[in-house]
Amino acid sequence: MPRVRESNVVAAQWSPNGSIGTGDLTTPGSSIYGANVFGPDEQRQRLPKTIFRQLQATIDRGEPLNPGLADAVALAMKDWALERGATHYTHWFQPLTGSTAEKHDSFFGPEHGGTALAQFTGKELIRGEPDASSFPSGGIRATFEARGYTAWDPTSPAYVIENPNGAYLCIPTAFASWTGEALDKKIPLLRSMSALNKSALRALRLFGDTTTARVYTTIGPEQEYFLIDEQFFYQRPDLVATGRTLFGAKPAKGQQLDDHYFGSIPERVLAYMLEVERELAKLGVPIKTRHNEVAPAQYEIAPIFENSNVGTDHQQLCMQVMQNVARRYGLVCLLHEKPFAGVNGSGKHNNWSMSTDDANLLDPGDTPHDNLQFLFFATAVIKAVHSHQGLLRASIAGAGQDHRLGANEAPPAIISVFLGKELEDVFTAIAAGEPAASAAREMMHLGTHVLPDLPRDTGDRNRTSPFAFTGNRFEFRALGSSQSPSLPNTVLNTIVAEAIDALSEELEARMAGTKKKKGKSLEDALTEVIRVNYTTVGKVVFDGDGYSDEWHRKAAKRGLKNLRTTPDALPELISDQTVAVFGNYSVLDERELHSRCEVLLEQYVIKVNIEAETAADIAATMLLPASARHLAMLREAGLTDLAEETADLVSSFTKAIKTLQTANLDENHPTDLMEEAEYMRDAVIPAMNEVRHFADKLERMVADDLWPLPRYSEMLFIK
Ligand code: ADP
Ligand code: MG
């Protein structure tokens, strides 16, 4: 039997490993939720009361951490971890690459007399010093001052990771240079959350709220992914090296039947999902939904939302667990944005809101007062997105995303806001300065100072919008599936903080009045502020089909940005406007912004380069030889016409490979990073596409037993 077919047979075989069923879910003892987390319950039991209270104050109210606490916490944490079999600990952090980093240290240190003693004090808990020189810093850290340090983040709980042969304690940490610059993705996120907290509290005071002590942002990222059998994965050097297929003809059966979305979940996949969810539950990551996605072999997992910092850490954990557990089922979990051409790619829908301890600020609410406040915050979000479209676009840029954004199944690269008909009507009516007409009339009688009764979760959906209001939150749908949610949320929090402040100022001025003019009531002032602002920022609101050509034309007319590729988008990270807003809110200074832009550009170049070299190698050493053998076979069989046709194709293929190899040569790459990124986009990617074009044609001609790569029709459909 030819090689590929044989592996299909193996891939199709699967039997459950392990016992069936779980414990009795009505008994509290069988709940595994949070079992491997050093959370509040464990802390309460293990820490002296005063220390526990102080730690909670830091966690809940963001009060500065008393370093004196650290020793007691470290001791309790260590005992707890040792009881769970952890021999090592690590400061777990998120360098600028977007992945996570950990270096394990043993708890045990040698004692004289030849014994070992578990050591872990407050000093070790609070600060670690990894050899940071090999993490990208985008020029912040010269090699002579290569040290960086990690600092414990007490607001994200520590947890134990289990392995068949042991366990270790993970301590979420921030990562900074000795000069205090953020070298990671956590610090700016935390800074942006503080910024938003401050601005939102100021606004709440205007609405007469004198008690709320903090506002925090929440995220619930819906994660899309593919699962394929590992047999196929390891036969594809492109998947192994780059996470996506660089070759592959469209299968006869694609997703045109639309039979996969929300379809029943195949048994092996369901078994996998259940184990992923169980592992995540132990780690305190709450999972809410699972379902099939649109493409064959594509699925989605979504957690219950949490505060942005913990939610971001948990999202990283989620991706890690998803990939690890897959191997236990003979599967590989693909998180790439576009693993297969011609079928849907994978995104991460970032549900986002602002919340007090009691209420979601983007929930329209039941009373007119709540509605007013909601309209204020919703206006701020629209204003923020309008002012910083380019920056939002840049925050989700990356090589994988360039295959997805703007394609027919993903949000377009133009950032617009979808509000849903009812809410859009309300805004339009306010902007027009008139009581709303017809449909909206019952809901809002602004002219008579009776405040609008706003629609709640209308179920209105617009799948083509990159930034949609979904009833009580906004959903930033353009994130890539492999992406850390950190930067997009840092951007969102910061720009919304700025917009809230701008609106608050306008509101304050109108409510205060002048010597000649009496101040206005909150309702009147707000109506005016919304009218004035919405007239401009409403340009970013769009409820039509974001994929259509018509929208592209309209958007251009409205002056909206359409930054199609990563090199187009990334300069937005260092634009004057970005530097100003990030500086004003002390989230990232200019150097830190430049470093991020540089690292992201570098990553783009490196990723495309790896793809291009992998493509050239596969083409030259696997596909071309197969095609040549096939050609020889045709000639031997005397199939002259077919042989001639094939020979033409093979010769075009050979030429395309040569062109790609030349494009890949170091000496042909510009030295300036930005120019190199553009070169990758304009010269290398097209050369790669050309090679693929001929390869995919050949795939349909070359004898099945000669073609060396598993096909889409196998990878996507054999489960
Ligand atoms: P849909 O299919 O409607 O997009 P899902 O149920 O798949 O919705 O996912 C919705 C996500 O939105 C979940 O992760 C959920 O926790 C999250 N979410 C709900 N409310 C909020 C909120 N206030 N802030 C942030 N995320 C939220
Ligand atoms: Mg969903």
Side-chain angles (χ1 to χ4, degrees), residues 218-220 222 289 300 302-305 351 353 360 461 473 475:
T218 51
I219 62 165
E222 300 163 48
T289 63
E300 181 185 294
I304 296 171
F305 66 94
N351 291 274
S353 191
N360 175 356
R461 285 294 150 95
R473 60 189 187 268
E475 192 172 331

Side-chain angles (χ1 to χ4, degrees), residues 222 261-262 289 291 293 300 302 349 461 463 475:
E222 300 163 48
Y261 191 55
F262 280 9
T289 63
H291 60 78
E293 259 301 330
E300 181 185 294
H349 297 178
R461 285 294 150 95
R463 292 272 159 211
E475 192 172 331

Side-chain angles (χ1 to χ4, degrees), residues 97-136:
T97 52
S99 50
T100 60
E102 46 190 78
K103 173 200 158 213
H104 298 192
D105 277 302
S106 172
F107 278 123
F108 297 94
E111 284 282 283
H112 29 249
T115 55
L117 193 74
Q119 290 170 327
F120 182 67
T121 63
K123 205 175 102 233
E124 278 110 357
L125 168 62
I126 287 194
R127 177 165 289 193
E129 234 182 289
D131 175 14
S133 51
S134 28
F135 294 108

Side-chain angles (χ1 to χ4, degrees), residues 54-184:
Q54 287 180 54
L55 183 62
Q56 287 308 306
T58 297
I59 294 170
D60 290 344
R61 295 195 289 281
E63 287 174 15
L65 182 76
N66 169 3
L69 288 184
D71 277 330
V73 177
L75 186 66
M77 200 187 269
K78 181 195 74 186
D79 287 348
W80 170 81
L82 291 176
E83 281 170 27
R84 264 153 196 78
T87 52
H88 290 64
Y89 66 91
T90 180
H91 291 272
W92 181 77
F93 61 100
Q94 298 162 33
L96 297 183
T97 52
S99 50
T100 60
E102 46 190 78
K103 173 200 158 213
H104 298 192
D105 277 302
S106 172
F107 278 123
F108 297 94
E111 284 282 283
H112 29 249
T115 55
L117 193 74
Q119 290 170 327
F120 182 67
T121 63
K123 205 175 102 233
E124 278 110 357
L125 168 62
I126 287 194
R127 177 165 289 193
E129 234 182 289
D131 175 14
S133 51
S134 28
F135 294 108
S137 71
I140 278 191
R141 200 190 41 229
T143 29
F144 64 84
E145 46 168 49
R147 290 189 311 169
Y149 68 90
T150 53
W152 175 41
D153 170 13
T155 63
S156 184
Y159 52 89
V160 162
I161 291 277
E162 294 170 313
N163 173 282
N165 289 343
Y168 62 97
L169 171 70
C170 275
I171 305 164
T173 50
F175 181 44
S177 75
W178 279 101
T179 42
E181 279 144 323
L183 293 176
D184 74 346

Side-chain angles (χ1 to χ4, degrees), residues 698-714:
L698 284 162
E699 184 185 330
R700 310 197 107 139
M701 299 172 70
V702 171
D704 186 53
D705 60 335
L706 292 178
W707 194 254
L709 296 175
R711 301 166 193 277
Y712 277 21
S713 53
E714 294 156 331

Side-chain angles (χ1 to χ4, degrees), residues 228-373:
I228 63 164
D229 194 279
E230 64 185 1
Q231 294 275 343
F232 301 134
F233 179 83
Y234 288 111
Q235 286 176 16
R236 301 258 342 189
D238 49 359
L239 278 178
V240 174
T242 72
R244 81 177 177 103
T245 51
L246 302 170
F247 300 98
K250 259 196 178 163
K253 178 182 183 207
Q255 63 187 55
Q256 63 277 56
L257 289 176
D258 276 334
D259 54 356
H260 193 65
Y261 191 55
F262 280 9
S264 76
I265 301 171
E267 187 169 59
R268 169 155 61 152
V269 174
L270 182 59
Y272 158 80
M273 289 173 166
L274 291 169
E275 183 157 340
V276 165
E277 289 167 24
R278 195 161 61 221
E279 290 295 328
L280 287 170
K282 284 198 240 164
L283 295 168
V285 183
I287 296 303
K288 178 88 164 70
T289 63
R290 56 170 103 103
H291 60 78
N292 285 0
E293 259 301 330
V294 174
Q298 193 188 30
Y299 310 94
E300 181 185 294
I301 182 171
I304 296 171
F305 66 94
E306 300 179 279
N307 88 54
S308 306
N309 177 40
V310 175
T312 298
D313 285 358
H314 281 172
Q315 173 61 204
Q316 293 282 10
L317 259 182
C318 186
M319 292 194 282
Q320 184 185 326
V321 168
M322 285 164 71
Q323 285 173 301
N324 289 343
V325 171
R327 299 298 308 282
R328 297 180 206 160
Y329 291 84
L331 296 167
V332 171
C333 171
L334 302 176
L335 292 175
H336 193 283
E337 281 76 20
K338 193 78 179 177
F340 303 97
V343 293
N344 276 7
S346 299
K348 174 146 42 206
H349 297 178
N350 189 81
N351 291 274
W352 177 92
S353 191
M354 300 171 266
S355 187
T356 69
D357 287 329
D358 310 314
N360 175 356
L361 297 177
L362 290 175
D363 194 323
D366 296 324
T367 64
H369 179 272
D370 286 351
N371 282 341
L372 254 194
Q373 196 179 291

